[in-house]
RNA sequence: GGAGAGGUGGCUGAGUGGUCGAAGGCGCUCGCCUGGAAAGUGAGUGAACGGGUAACCGUUCCAAGGGUUCAAAUCCCUUCCUCUCCGCCA
């Protein structure tokens, strides 16, 4: 959510921002509603002032034994008018608030302006794509042959885009989870959280998944509960509606959770293998920061995600998303992409974003500055640290051997019961 | 799921339908005191929205949403949450 006052006073800049994002929004209607709201507010507040004064006077008259009946009749009419205007404002605000919740965040000035993923900028690269002296296989071939991935039974149990991991596959998934959590909690200073993976509508709205992206989520029929698409949702909302002290910031939270996405609108894409699933595991990092430090924290967070890939020895690159490719709530986003030999390209494995005060406004999370002064909204950041399913894929494809076996990276072996090779 | 008790500011905790945005305390801020600190002491200290260059003014907010009334933190209804007891359960 943006500050409505800012939108009102910076209409040009706001319109430019929307077009940079390729985002269609009924700006004229929004301004119209805002104007109507303020005009009506002025009228009703005048009436309420009159009513308050009248009510007070009636009280005094009763005390002094006078007959307030005439004034009471007048106030009765004022009251009816107030009710009428209040209803009008209610209607206006319902529409206005709904629109406000659908305004995307304003990109940071350092974000490249561009239309789509082709305009993203590569920031750095780590490791080079491996040279194989054989034709590298896709992970689905490797996984099925080794008996560690079962795509058919995943579909049987649920539907397409669900996969069963077996034996060493399941073990590696668990090893990756513990490897990542240990690194973040013991070396990067994160507090580990085990959050609910079903959350209510208010929580989903706080981080921006609702109201606009309901079709991407799984919803419970009989309860006001939704399956989380990422642990960013519960972690960021941990302090919703709270007043924090500056000395308690920054806060670093991480969590392992399954994530659930309907993937509506990506019907044909990545149908083979387990690159794009309705359910996948992820370790997520969330930081709550003061505004002056949040961009430093974004660099740190990105480096923490990279660290995982460095230790595992998987080639990757970091790109900065352009205005047209960024997510709804982000002010700046770095994506980390890993090299997938079978696809001969880089694919996203982590996304680290600074949302500035966009989510904090929705959630109502403020902090009291140590130097005194008014409470301010915090800045929130989130990043995958990292997607476990995709990490498993990258590991399998990059560490495959000519005979179809997979070498387990050394850093992971202690977490996999000393397993050195999957064959 | 059944019965009862509650939800008030950053925290704690009062509040007969009328001058209550809300006593008191804690915390915090600025002074005094002190060589410095603690203790003591004086004053101040909620937020959102609207209007105004500003000082400031107005409206709203006592879990959430409705209702009664000239007037609601206070009365009524609904929902949510917390606590105690019972039942059920991994």
């Amino acid at each position: 959510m943006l500050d409505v006052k800012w939108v009102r006073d910076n209409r040009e800049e706001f319109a430019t921002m929307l077009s940079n994002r390729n985002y269609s929004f009924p700006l004229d209607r929004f301004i119209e509603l805002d104007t109507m709201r303020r005009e009506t507010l002025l009228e009703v507040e005048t009436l309420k002032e009159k009513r308050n004064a009248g009510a007070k006077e009636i009280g005094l008259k009763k005390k002094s034994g006078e007959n307030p009946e005439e004034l009471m009749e007048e106030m009765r009419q004022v009251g009816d008018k107030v009710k009428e205007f209040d209803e009008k404002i209610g209607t206006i605000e319902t529409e206005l608030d709904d629109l406000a919740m659908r305004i995307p965040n304003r990109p940071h000035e350092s974000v490249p302006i561009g239309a789509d993923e082709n305009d993203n900028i590569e920031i750095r690269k780590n490791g080079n794509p491996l040279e194989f002296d054989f034709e590298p296989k896709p992970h689905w071939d490797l996984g099925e042959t080794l008996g560690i991935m079962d795509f058919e039974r995943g579909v049987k149990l649920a539907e397409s885009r669900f996969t069963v991991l077996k034996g060493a596959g399941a073990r590696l998934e668990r090893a990756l989870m513990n490897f990542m959590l240990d690194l973040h909690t013991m070396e990067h200073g994160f507090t580990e959280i085990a959050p609910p993976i079903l959350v209510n509508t208010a929580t989903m709205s706080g981080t921006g998944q609702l109201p606009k992206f309901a079709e991407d989520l799984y919803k419970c029929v009989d309860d006001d509960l939704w399956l989380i698409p990422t642990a960013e949702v519960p972690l960021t909302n941990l302090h919703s509606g709270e007043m924090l002290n500056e000395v308690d910031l920054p806060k670093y939270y991480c969590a392992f959770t399954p994530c659930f996405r309907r993937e509506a609108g990506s019907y044909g894409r990545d149908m083979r293998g387990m690159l794009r699933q309705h359910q996948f595991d992820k370790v997520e990092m969330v930081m709550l920061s003061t505004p002056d430090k949040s961009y430093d924290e974004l660099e740190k967070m990105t480096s923490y995600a990279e660290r995982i890939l460095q230790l595992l020895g998987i080639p990757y690159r970091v790109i900065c998303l352009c205005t047209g490719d960024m997510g709804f709530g982000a002010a700046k986003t770095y994506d980390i992409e890993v090299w997938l030999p079978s696809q001969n390209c880089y694919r996203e494995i982590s996304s680290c974003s600074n949302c500035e005060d966009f989510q904090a406004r929705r959630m109502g999370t403020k902090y009291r500055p140590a130097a005194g002064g008014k409470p301010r909204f915090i800045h929130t950041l989130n990043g995958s640290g990292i997607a476990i399913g995709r990490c498993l894929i990258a590991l399998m494809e990059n560490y495959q051997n000519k005979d179809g076996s997979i070498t387990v990276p050394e850093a992971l072996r202690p977490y996999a019961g000393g397993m050195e090779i999957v064959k």
Side-chain angles (χ1 to χ4, degrees):
Chain A
M1 196 159 60
L2 294 182
D3 186 355
V4 176
K5 266 184 274 188
W6 180 86
V7 174
R8 193 187 299 149
D9 298 337
N10 300 274
R11 222 170 134 172
E12 292 292 309
E13 196 184 337
F14 180 66
T16 306
M17 182 276 270
L18 291 173
S19 95
N20 284 343
R21 266 188 177 269
N22 270 328
Y23 196 90
S24 80
F25 180 79
L27 177 54
D28 289 339
R29 178 65 179 158
F30 185 75
I31 297 289
E32 183 190 9
L33 284 166
D34 178 55
T35 307
M36 274 168 62
R37 174 178 169 273
R38 280 182 296 150
E39 283 171 0
T40 316
L41 207 53
L42 218 54
E43 292 183 78
V44 77
E45 285 185 358
T46 309
L47 284 171
K48 281 181 178 171
E49 192 177 352
K50 192 172 172 185
R51 183 184 63 179
N52 290 346
K56 198 176 276 184
E57 200 181 328
I58 289 168
L60 291 173
K61 281 195 173 182
K62 278 197 170 176
K63 221 172 238 173
S64 66
E66 291 178 69
N67 181 6
E69 193 46 56
E70 195 180 318
L71 191 55
M72 280 171 70
E73 175 55 31
E74 193 189 335
M75 287 307 114
R76 216 165 283 156
Q77 283 170 21
V78 173
D80 289 345
K81 260 254 155 61
V82 165
K83 201 169 178 181
E84 208 177 288
F85 276 101
D86 269 344
E87 275 166 16
K88 192 174 162 192
I89 288 177
T91 311
I92 293 170
E93 284 187 339
T94 302
E95 195 184 340
L96 194 61
D97 292 347
D98 183 67
L99 282 179
M101 291 293 270
R102 292 164 191 273
I103 297 174
N105 200 359
R106 186 153 50 118
H108 187 253
E109 56 188 12
S110 66
V111 171
I113 293 169
D116 52 41
E117 68 269 17
N118 297 312
D119 296 322
N120 295 339
I121 291 177
E122 184 177 304
I123 304 290
R124 58 184 166 269
K125 215 178 221 175
N126 192 278
N128 288 312
L130 296 169
E131 299 290 333
F132 290 91
D133 55 7
F134 58 93
E135 187 65 28
K137 290 180 185 147
H139 69 273
W140 54 83
D141 278 354
L142 295 165
E144 277 184 328
T145 307
L146 289 167
I148 63 174
M149 286 178 171
D150 190 333
F151 298 100
E152 281 179 29
R153 290 198 174 91
V155 174
K156 177 177 77 176
L157 293 174
E159 59 172 34
S160 68
R161 293 200 194 284
F162 286 88
T163 300
V164 171
L165 291 177
K166 268 190 341 196
R171 179 69 205 245
L172 284 177
E173 177 96 354
R174 181 157 58 92
L176 284 168
M177 159 186 142
N178 285 325
F179 167 66
M180 293 175 194
L181 284 174
D182 278 2
L183 193 68
H184 292 320
T185 56
M186 300 199 290
E187 293 190 31
H188 298 154
F190 284 80
T191 301
E192 184 176 346
I193 303 288
I197 60 177
L198 283 168
V199 300
N200 60 35
T201 298
T203 301
M204 277 296 183
S205 304
T207 30
Q209 278 71 23
L210 291 176
K212 204 172 153 31
F213 304 103
E215 61 175 22
D216 297 331
L217 302 170
Y218 287 101
K219 182 177 188 343
C220 295
V221 187
D222 293 325
D223 302 279
D224 178 30
L225 291 170
W226 309 71
L227 279 164
I228 58 168
T230 160
E232 165 200 343
V233 177
L235 291 184
T236 309
N237 277 284
L238 276 174
H239 295 285
S240 65
E242 292 183 23
M243 176 76 69
L244 306 172
N245 290 313
E246 181 166 357
V247 290
D248 297 327
L249 297 173
K251 285 182 181 290
Y252 285 13
Y253 293 122
C254 70
F256 163 87
T257 66
C259 304
F260 303 89
R261 301 185 182 179
R262 292 192 61 236
E263 294 295 339
S266 59
Y267 298 114
R269 278 159 62 193
D270 307 313
M271 286 311 292
R272 292 207 71 179
M274 53 174 276
L275 192 69
R276 189 178 301 277
Q277 299 279 286
H278 287 307
Q279 174 188 335
F280 62 94
D281 290 335
K282 181 157 63 70
V283 168
E284 180 77 1
M285 304 176 280
V286 160
M287 295 177 170
L288 308 184
S289 165
T290 52
D292 57 318
K293 304 253 173 54
S294 65
Y295 280 93
D296 294 337
E297 301 289 4
L298 177 62
E299 299 299 324
K300 273 196 227 169
M301 177 180 270
T302 310
S303 76
Y304 295 157
E306 288 176 66
R307 184 92 194 287
I308 304 275
L309 295 169
Q310 289 162 10
L311 289 170
L312 290 176
I314 296 173
Y316 70 87
R317 65 175 186 174
V318 178
I319 59 173
C320 181
L321 298 193
C322 72
T323 53
D325 200 28
M326 269 201 309
F328 180 72
K332 183 170 186 173
T333 299
Y334 292 120
D335 270 11
I336 300 174
E337 300 180 331
V338 290
W339 179 254
L340 289 188
S342 72
Q343 299 196 358
N344 206 40
C345 68
Y346 287 96
R347 295 300 301 256
E348 178 187 340
I349 197 163
S350 172
S351 189
C352 300
S353 300
N354 184 358
C355 296
E356 297 192 2
D357 66 4
F358 184 85
Q359 296 177 321
R361 281 178 190 282
R362 294 173 159 245
M363 297 188 300
T365 308
K366 294 185 172 183
Y367 75 99
R368 209 174 274 288
K374 286 200 155 202
R376 299 183 64 189
F377 288 111
I378 61 162
H379 279 195
T380 62
L381 299 91
N382 64 78
S384 343
I386 56 182
I388 292 175
R390 287 189 176 182
C391 190
L392 179 63
I393 291 173
L395 185 158
M396 288 168 64
E397 294 203 3
N398 282 284
Y399 278 85
Q400 64 178 296
N401 303 307
K402 193 168 186 176
D403 63 358
S405 65
I406 293 160
T407 305
V408 178
E410 279 199 41
L412 201 58
R413 289 178 193 171
Y415 290 93
M419 192 186 342
E420 291 177 15
I421 194 160
V422 184
K423 56 185 176 186

